[in-house]
Amino acid sequence: MPIIPREQSEPSPPESHKARRMAESFGVDAQRYEQARPGYPDALVARIVAGSPGPDVLDVGCGTGIAARQFQAAGCAVLGVEPDARMADFARSRGLRVEVAAFESWQPAGRVFDAVIAAQSWHWVDPVAGAVKAARVLRPRGRLAIFGHVYEPPPEVAEPFAAAYRRAAPDSPFNGQPARRPLDLYRAAYANFADRIRETERFNDPEQWRFDWERSYTRDQWLDLLPTTGGLTQLRPDQLAEVLDAVGGAIDSLGGRFTMNYTTLAATAVRTGTS
C-alpha cells in the first residue's frame, strides 16, 4: 500500500483492511512511531481546512496524532478514532481527544463533523463501509480526505533492504514483490479509494491531489523509522537486527545519509445534500 516505505510490502488494496494483526501492530513502540514518522505537507492541511465548512475534524486511525496536531495548529477541533489502545493513549498524552474503536464499528452518538480525514490509515478500513460511514458523520458540504505518503528510497537503500528481508523472513508471503514499485501503483490505489467514495452516491465527484517533496535522512534517522513500518513491527528482534544491519551498511556506503523523495497523494470529496 502507498503509505509505508515501498520496499516494505503490505497486503494488496482490496484485502489490506482484513489484515487486522498488522493493522494493530503499530503501537508496539508508539514513542518511536511518533518521533520517526514524517508529518504532512502544510499545503495539504491548508487545502483541506479551506475546503471544509467548519473546524470540526474526525481523524480516522489517528495513531499517535501526527496529522491531528497539524489540524489543531490550523485552528481545528479534532477527535481521533484509533483501534490500537496503545497509540490512543500516546495521542491523549499529547492533548488529543481519542476514542478507541475501528472506524467501521465506532459509534458517533449523533455527532457530525466538517471533515473526516484518514492519514495513512484508510487502507486498514473497509473501503465500502468506510465511505458510507464517513458520509453518515459528515455535515452537508463536509469533506472526506484520504491521504498518505509514497516513499521513494534510492535503489542503493531499497534493494539491500529487500534482500535482507528475504533472508530474515523467508516465509513471508510478501517476499516475491520487487524492491521498488512505481508511483502508478499507488495512484491506482487512490483511484480505487475514489471509486468507492463515488459508489456511495453521497459525495460530489472525488478529486485526487498530489504533493511532491523530499527529505534528507541520516543513517540513524532512517533506522529509527524502519521498525515502525508494517511487516517490521512483527519481526523477532534477531530478524529485525539483520534487516537494520544491512540497511545501515547500505547507507554508510552512501556517506551516511541519503535523500528520500516523497509524494503525498490524496483522494478527497465533498458530501452532497443539505441535511
Side-chain angles (χ1 to χ4, degrees):
M1 280 303 301
I3 48 124
I4 62 168
R6 282 188 283 170
E7 71 271 29
Q8 167 67 44
S9 301
E10 281 192 347
S12 62
E15 300 297 322
S16 56
H17 67 277
K18 299 178 182 179
R20 299 312 308 173
R21 182 168 175 263
M22 185 182 290
E24 297 173 11
S25 68
F26 297 100
V28 144
D29 192 344
Q31 178 71 45
R32 180 193 292 267
Y33 188 102
E34 168 71 17
Q35 291 176 344
R37 286 291 185 113
Y40 300 90
D42 290 339
L44 168 66
V45 175
R47 192 170 180 182
I48 293 169
V49 172
S52 302
D56 295 326
V57 173
L58 179 69
D59 186 355
V60 176
C62 68
T64 61
I66 293 171
R69 289 193 300 279
Q70 290 185 252
F71 279 84
Q72 285 179 326
C76 297
V78 183
L79 173 66
V81 176
E82 169 57 45
D84 189 323
R86 299 164 298 183
M87 301 288 263
D89 284 344
F90 189 96
R92 292 186 189 116
S93 75
R94 297 299 179 94
L96 184 66
R97 295 183 299 130
V98 185
E99 298 177 8
V100 177
F103 181 55
E104 298 93 327
S105 59
W106 172 71
Q107 298 300 313
R111 292 168 291 182
V112 291
F113 300 86
D114 298 301
V116 172
I117 66 169
Q120 307 212 167
S121 63
W122 196 253
H123 60 301
W124 301 123
V125 175
D126 181 293
V128 177
V132 171
K133 184 74 165 278
R136 283 178 48 206
V137 301
L138 278 168
R139 292 188 174 98
R141 307 301 299 169
R143 179 173 293 277
L144 171 60
I146 301 162
F147 52 92
H149 303 313
V150 180
Y151 295 62
E152 182 66 81
E156 295 87 349
V157 176
E159 291 170 5
F161 173 94
Y165 191 84
R166 285 192 295 268
R167 291 193 303 270
D171 297 330
S172 170
F174 309 126
N175 271 333
Q177 299 188 18
R180 302 171 82 241
R181 288 173 282 168
L183 176 61
D184 285 350
L185 178 69
Y186 301 96
R187 295 179 67 182
Y190 276 82
N192 181 63
F193 293 155
D195 287 343
R196 303 292 80 76
I197 295 168
R198 190 177 290 111
E199 288 169 3
T200 70
E201 299 183 345
R202 299 289 302 277
F203 292 90
N204 291 337
D205 199 47
E207 302 173 22
Q208 295 193 57
W209 301 343
R210 172 175 173 170
F211 301 82
D212 294 311
W213 52 288
E214 62 181 33
R215 176 173 172 176
S216 177
Y217 282 94
T218 66
R219 179 186 193 276
D220 289 346
Q221 287 171 334
W222 187 241
L223 296 189
D224 203 34
L225 186 149
L226 267 185
T228 74
T229 60
L232 271 70
T233 61
Q234 301 179 74
L235 293 182
R236 299 190 313 266
D238 61 307
Q239 293 174 309
L240 179 60
E242 181 174 349
V243 173
L244 296 184
D245 285 348
V247 175
I251 298 172
D252 287 341
S253 71
L254 296 174
R257 68 168 54 243
F258 68 97
T259 297
M260 176 75 77
N261 293 317
Y262 281 91
T263 296
T264 302
L265 299 175
T268 180
V270 171
R271 183 188 179 282
T272 57
T274 58
S275 61

